[in-house]
Amino acid sequence: MSATAEKTSLNGGEFLIRETEAHQVFIPEEFSEEQQMIADTCRDFLKTEIHPRLEEIDKAKSPDLMSSLMDKAGELGLLGTAVPEEYGGFGMNFNTSMLVAEVLGAGHSFSVAQSAHTGIGTLPILYYGNEEQKNKYLPNLASGAWKAAYCLTEPDSGSDANSGKTKAELSADGKTYKINGQKMWITNGGFADIFIVFAKIEDDKNLTAFIIEKSFGGITMNEPEQKLGIKGSDTRQVFFNDCVVPVENMLSARGNGFKIAVNILNIGRIKLASAAVGGSKGVLNQAINYANERKQFGISIGRFGAIKHKLAQMATKIWVCESANYRAGQNIDDLIDTLKGEGLTDAEAKLKALEQFAIECAIMKVYGSEVLDLVADEGVQIYGGMGYSADAPMERAYRDSRINRIFEGTNEINRMLVLDMYLKRAMKGELDLMGPATAV
Ligand SMILES: Cc1cc2nc3c(=O)[nH]c(=O)nc-3n(C[C@H](O)[C@H](O)[C@H](O)COP(=O)(O)OP(=O)(O)OC[C@H]3O[C@@H](n4cnc5c(N)ncnc54)[C@H](O)[C@@H]3O)c2cc1C
């Protein structure tokens, strides 16, 4: 056996140039009984709590409904799968959290609230918090007692996230920071208890991250944004006006905020692809049922070649996305295990592995969001006029899908990142792109 074949864990980006043995590729059929049970709990939750209330969720006038649904999800343990047991979670591996994201991904606005809380809201503390911060915040976030939001974007700082103007000013006694600034498009803003906030100290080049409790005061917000889709997800402008934060609430070190923001977004990106798979499967199932039931010219429309072609294309793309996503997820888990074996802590290993697979995370974000868009679009087409009706499910699916190409880094930014990261790794000698290219 060659040295290459013996090596088990793949490095990020290597899928392009390295032969992979079939047994090294994870397929969803390999999920254990325990993992399937977690997925079933998520399915039951959507069936009983979310799907019967989609209209009510989208039309809710206050954030209380979404907040109470998050409470229920917390009671079932659906907010703590990725949080280690010592901090009140279930400590499941990365691919299990991808499975949870997939199933809940069919939950429309709820899916966005849940993923913002468990992902960008909770993970900065899990991966970058010190012991005191983890002990204080993680058990409450895992149970849903406290809800989280992530405040990076500002009116003049979107894709160029490190250019934010929010300021953090150290007090004369060195005990607190005063935060002033405006954040925009903040998911869960209306009901969050904890805000992960990125701000600049003095004229620093890079952002610094803070954990801010709503109870600190100095936080106000606008009414929820009126949006094209995911209308039930609470999205706000949040203002920090002389918000006083103890120095202990700085996350990691001064100037590390942009790194935190980017690394946490990596995780969000690949999980967004999982959610897109879940959303796409929901649409495909409904489209198949409709194609079987709806008759024109005396037969089910599903018997027309044009409709069969659409359904087949939808299924193919979902399958490709699902396969690539769980394969990458397992590659991440394998690298985490390898790094832990080399002595890294759980949090260090997870961070390093996810940074390694940033290329795959960006690829999957782009692909997953575009598969969901295509699937939702063809779903509308298969429903014909009913696809355009708010009384049928495709209208919501079509509107809710669209956001995925915009948040967690737009698809334009993620496409550029893929190439940029490949070239940088090749130039640093980490990835041999030239060898295989020359061989071809
Ligand atoms: C519903 C919703 C929820 C959100 N939730 C959150 C949240 O919880 N927390 C948070 O911090 N943010 C959140 N966001 C913000 C989101 O991440 C940003 O909208 C996104 O990053 C894009 O930034 P922007 O809107 O300023 O667009 P811009 O950066 O102004 O981009 C406009 C267009 O220009 C393109 N573009 C920009 N730069 C380049 C470039 N260098 N090359 C090529 N094209 C480029 C973009 O791809 C895009 O097409 C949310 C947004 C929405 C709509």
Side-chain angles (χ1 to χ4, degrees):
M1 195 186 264
S2 73
T4 312
E6 276 164 19
K7 191 177 150 199
T8 50
S9 62
L10 203 73
N11 278 330
E14 270 191 341
F15 76 92
L16 201 60
I17 50 171
R18 214 182 92 185
E19 288 293 327
T20 310
E21 303 277 323
H23 70 85
Q24 292 175 326
V25 176
F26 179 86
I27 52 170
E29 286 72 14
E30 292 176 78
F31 276 126
S32 68
E33 216 169 293
E34 189 190 6
Q35 289 167 314
Q36 293 293 358
M37 273 168 58
I38 296 170
D40 286 342
T41 309
C42 296
R43 266 180 216 110
D44 288 346
F45 181 75
L46 288 191
K47 200 168 148 200
T48 53
E49 300 291 344
I50 306 296
H51 287 160
R53 311 175 76 177
L54 288 175
E55 193 67 20
E56 190 189 344
I57 293 170
D58 277 359
K59 292 198 167 140
K61 292 270 180 273
S62 92
D64 296 349
L65 174 58
M66 185 59 82
S67 182
S68 70
L69 292 168
M70 292 284 283
D71 286 336
K72 286 186 183 164
E75 281 161 26
L76 288 171
L78 303 183
L79 305 180
T81 40
V83 175
E85 282 173 289
E86 66 260 41
Y87 304 114
F90 293 93
M92 305 301 287
N93 69 358
F94 189 70
N95 241 357
T96 312
S97 64
M98 299 261 285
L99 180 61
V100 168
E102 181 198 318
V103 179
L104 294 182
H108 294 268
S109 295
F110 171 78
S111 160
V112 177
Q114 189 270 349
S115 65
H117 171 84
T118 56
I120 52 182
T122 301
L123 297 183
I125 302 178
L126 177 58
Y127 293 149
Y128 290 96
N130 57 36
E131 256 337 283
E132 289 76 38
Q133 292 168 341
K134 289 188 203 180
N135 283 321
K136 178 171 184 190
Y137 295 108
L138 291 179
N140 287 307
L141 293 172
S143 69
W146 290 347
K147 322 286 184 309
Y150 174 91
C151 304
L152 177 64
T153 307
E154 299 184 9
D156 293 326
S157 162
S159 300
D160 185 8
N162 201 29
S163 67
K165 294 192 182 80
T166 298
K167 285 279 178 198
E169 193 188 334
L170 189 62
S171 61
D173 63 8
K175 289 188 176 158
T176 56
Y177 280 98
K178 198 157 61 180
I179 311 283
N180 278 291
Q182 178 184 357
K183 297 290 178 177
M184 200 166 171
W185 302 117
I186 305 308
T187 303
N188 297 348
F191 58 84
D193 308 281
I194 304 294
F195 297 83
I196 305 295
V197 180
F198 297 86
K200 289 244 172 87
I201 300 172
E202 295 171 352
D203 291 325
D204 285 1
K205 184 166 160 266
N206 287 322
L207 298 165
T208 299
F210 295 89
I211 309 168
I212 299 189
E213 299 177 24
K214 194 170 188 182
S215 61
F216 290 166
I219 302 175
T220 54
M221 53 194 71
N222 279 359
E223 288 298 302
E225 301 289 346
Q226 298 302 309
K227 309 190 294 294
L228 167 72
I230 54 163
K231 287 175 182 282
S233 140
D234 189 277
T235 319
R236 308 261 183 157
Q237 286 199 48
V238 180
F239 302 88
F240 296 89
N241 311 303
D242 289 343
C243 170
V244 178
V245 181
V247 286
E248 299 80 55
N249 278 44
M250 182 190 283
L251 200 47
S252 179
R254 176 172 174 173
N256 256 359
F258 187 55
K259 195 169 110 190
I260 296 176
V262 168
N263 283 335
I264 295 302
L265 285 174
N266 275 337
I267 305 167
R269 285 171 185 161
I270 192 162
K271 285 203 184 156
L272 181 148
S274 299
V277 169
S280 299
K281 284 181 180 175
V283 169
L284 179 60
N285 276 330
Q286 286 163 325
I288 290 170
N289 287 339
Y290 189 82
N292 281 332
E293 282 161 17
R294 173 73 177 165
K295 288 196 168 56
Q296 285 296 286
F297 303 98
I299 54 170
S300 301
I301 60 166
R303 291 180 61 193
F304 298 130
I307 302 292
K308 283 184 189 168
H309 177 267
K310 288 185 194 304
L311 293 170
Q313 193 189 22
M314 290 153 83
T316 308
K317 287 191 180 281
I318 295 169
W319 180 71
V320 171
C321 191
E322 178 191 70
S323 304
N325 223 32
Y326 287 122
R327 172 181 170 173
Q330 188 62 43
N331 288 156
I332 291 168
D333 272 327
D334 290 344
L335 188 56
I336 291 170
D337 288 343
T338 303
L339 293 170
K340 283 197 324 203
E342 290 170 2
L344 269 64
T345 65
D346 185 61
E348 285 167 350
K350 282 180 180 155
L351 256 185
K352 197 160 180 200
L354 280 151
E355 214 173 341
Q356 256 295 320
F357 281 88
I359 294 177
E360 284 81 350
C361 294
I363 292 173
M364 293 318 302
K365 192 274 172 179
V366 172
Y367 190 68
S369 60
E370 293 179 4
V371 167
L372 179 59
D373 256 9
L374 177 132
V375 167
D377 186 63
E378 291 293 32
V380 170
Q381 200 66 16
I382 290 168
Y383 268 63
M386 281 312 289
Y388 213 68
S389 165
D391 293 333
M394 290 305 140
E395 183 256 4
R396 177 178 289 104
Y398 185 79
R399 286 187 290 99
D400 285 358
S401 158
R402 190 61 181 82
I403 184 58
N404 292 291
R405 282 163 54 198
I406 297 171
F407 60 16
E408 304 279 354
T410 65
N411 283 15
E412 290 75 18
I413 294 291
N414 274 289
R415 280 194 157 86
M416 288 190 297
L417 279 175
V418 172
L419 189 66
D420 188 55
M421 289 187 281
Y422 258 122
L423 292 179
K424 277 190 183 139
R425 286 182 194 190
M427 283 192 299
K428 281 193 211 159
E430 291 170 6
L431 270 179
D432 174 27
L433 294 185
M434 280 312 285
T438 311
V440 170

